[in-house]
Amino acid sequence: MRKIDNRTLAQMGLNPDLPKHVAIIMDGNGRWASKKLLPRTYGHREGMERLTGLVRFVSDIGIESLTLYAFSTENWKRPQHEIDALFGLLIEYFDKQIAELHKNGVRITLLGDDVRFSEEVRQAIRNATTITKGNRGLKLNLALNYGSRAEILRAAKSIVEDVNRGILLPENIDEHEFESRLYTSNLPQVDLVIRTGGEQRLSNFLLYQAAYAELIFVKDYWPDFSDDRFIEVLREFQNRNRRYGGL
Ligand code: IPE
Ligand code: IPE
Ligand code: MG
């Protein structure tokens, strides 16, 4: 729920026209840890602390929707102990934060397929999404086992199935119909994609949805991405001229 008013926004150098949907590739945990000669999993723990803080700020500032890339379909290639550590942290996040998130009206959804998760992880996610289902505040969308290519294929298959069953006519397949089969179907258009950690690529994130999003790449590793840096990014977003192909 929004706690920061327009006057406070102005003090931050922001106008009230905030992006409706911000998506973040939270990258750089491992390098953050390595730089400090710590194991990568320390970086993931620190990254979870930062996630907690940023979600609070995004909710307070009144942004409608926040999508966080937390685990990609390609991240299964990592060593099993790192994967286990990441999902352990996810369970811990829900355990510790769900009460506050719920109190603040945050609605949690999963973007991704949960079949590959352990029963414990699946339960934790189902629990969080069920408890917060009716909330009207920040839409917090966790991209877990998410990959755009898999998402687009899944949408294409569901269209083919409906055509084969005779409940969808090929001539009625349009962008709206296609988008309704993406994980983001109930969310506003993605306005802004931020990637921390210095790499300048999308790594299979929101390839369809980011068609007209503004992309902002920041050098900070995710654990160092402060609220102040986020405000700077929002200022840069507000200074961009979005033309959508027009003049
Ligand atoms: C976190 O950053 C993103 C996840 C996949 C969880 P990384 O673990 O990719 O950190 P770097 O990029 O190796 O520094
Ligand atoms: C993207 O980061 C995925 C997440 C942040 C969850 P990666 O670290 O997996 O991406 P690459 O390997 O650098 O492209
Ligand atoms: Mg990385």
Side-chain angles (χ1 to χ4, degrees), residues 71-72 76 83 87 90 110-123 125 142-146:
F71 195 87
S72 74
W76 295 107
I83 295 172
F87 284 106
L90 181 78
L110 169 71
L111 309 188
D113 187 345
D114 72 359
V115 287
R116 209 167 155 181
F117 300 150
S118 69
E119 193 47 40
E120 198 189 3
V121 169
R122 228 185 338 259
Q123 269 310 320
I125 297 168
L142 298 174
L144 284 164
N145 188 27
Y146 174 87

Side-chain angles (χ1 to χ4, degrees), residues 40-42 44-45 48 71 79-92:
R40 291 177 56 84
T41 47
Y42 280 65
H44 293 314
R45 172 163 293 282
M48 182 185 71
F71 195 87
Q80 192 59 43
H81 70 86
E82 181 165 337
I83 295 172
D84 292 344
L86 279 166
F87 284 106
L89 284 166
L90 181 78
I91 291 171
E92 192 180 322

Side-chain angles (χ1 to χ4, degrees), residues 25-27 69-72 75 78 195 199 201 203:
I25 304 172
M26 307 182 291
D27 194 27
Y69 203 9
F71 195 87
S72 74
N75 288 147
R78 295 190 180 198
R195 181 172 187 144
E199 311 289 2
R201 56 175 169 260
S203 301

